[in-house]
Amino acid sequence: MGSVAEFVDLRREVERLRAENARLGRLLELRGQDTSAAPAQLSAPVEPPGLVTMASPTQDKLALFADRFRARADVYAVRWDNARTGAAGWMPAVAGGWRKGMDRRGAAHLPRTTEVVAAHLVGDVFMGLYPLMPGNTCHFVVADFDGPTAMLDALAYVKAARASAVPAAMEISQSGRGAHVWIFFTGAVPAATARRRHGPVARGDGAARVDEPAVV
């Protein structure tokens, strides 16, 4: 026989699981519904050179990337890590790299070239995009979900998008503890509209990025 304390702990865990199960049911509205996988969603029209596959030439893959992830080409972001403090973040790539005491106003930003994208896709460079274009427009938006319920929240976001006939693509973040949901537009959209209409719908803790680096 276990102790009273163990019994109490088990009861608390059961109640916690029941509450989480109820929350999942409310988020995804699965009770009494067909839970089979939904058919593939339509994406942007396939244009020449046609459908790009793993066997396609490199130039076709780069062209597909450039077409889907339309962002500023005059600058891109690189990741930084501080081994001493454990802090990490993103900063614009500049000629010669950032140095202590460097004047940010005089920094020469490096352009996002085809070579940079190719290096990113093979893992030689860790590149981030700046989706906010001149004129405060964007061609895609990505919602970032973190925390213990990140996956459930991202799934709820995708479900809400599909309910509005909005194609949305979900991926697990690099850490494995978060998720991203991407929405691509057929043309330039005012950033304020993209953030307002396609912003977080699950819990409110997913950021719809248009003015900070997006990692792809």
Side-chain angles (χ1 to χ4, degrees):
M1 292 291 291
S3 67
V4 174
E6 290 176 338
F7 178 75
V8 171
D9 288 342
L10 287 173
R11 284 294 300 272
R12 288 175 178 171
E13 180 64 12
V14 169
E15 292 303 319
R16 186 190 69 80
L17 291 174
R18 284 176 176 170
E20 183 62 21
N21 186 57
R23 176 176 176 274
L24 176 59
R26 290 193 302 270
L27 279 176
L28 303 182
E29 299 176 357
L30 295 179
R31 293 185 178 179
Q33 297 185 24
D34 181 12
T35 59
S36 58
Q41 296 186 81
L42 294 177
S43 184
V46 177
E47 299 178 354
L51 186 65
V52 176
T53 68
M54 290 293 293
S56 298
T58 299
Q59 60 267 28
D60 290 351
K61 296 177 181 177
L62 292 174
L64 176 65
F65 183 96
D67 180 71
R68 294 299 184 265
F69 297 96
R70 298 185 184 184
R72 288 181 58 176
D74 60 325
V75 63
Y76 66 95
V78 291
R79 184 175 175 83
W80 60 266
D81 294 277
N82 189 315
R84 181 176 60 84
T85 64
W90 292 87
M91 59 187 178
V94 299
W98 289 101
R99 299 178 299 278
K100 187 176 181 179
M102 183 176 178
D103 185 358
R104 294 174 178 267
R105 295 170 298 181
H109 292 159
L110 295 176
R112 177 176 56 87
T113 63
T114 301
E115 291 73 22
V116 171
V117 174
H120 169 73
L121 294 179
V122 298
D124 292 339
V125 173
F126 203 10
M127 174 193 72
L129 301 176
Y130 288 100
L132 190 62
M133 304 287 279
N136 291 326
T137 62
C138 62
H139 290 264
F140 64 87
V141 66
V142 54
D144 186 13
F145 297 89
D146 296 302
T149 61
M151 304 306 171
L152 298 181
D153 295 336
L155 285 170
Y157 186 101
V158 171
K159 184 177 178 65
R162 290 183 176 181
S164 300
V166 176
M170 177 181 167
E171 66 170 351
I172 306 302
S173 62
Q174 186 184 28
S175 67
R177 298 187 296 273
H180 305 143
V181 179
W182 300 80
I183 295 176
F184 298 91
F185 309 126
T186 55
V189 173
T193 301
R195 190 178 182 94
R196 182 173 63 252
R197 292 190 177 181
H198 304 285
V201 295
R203 283 167 42 93
D205 55 358
R209 299 177 175 176
V210 290
D211 55 357
E212 57 181 298
V215 186
V216 294

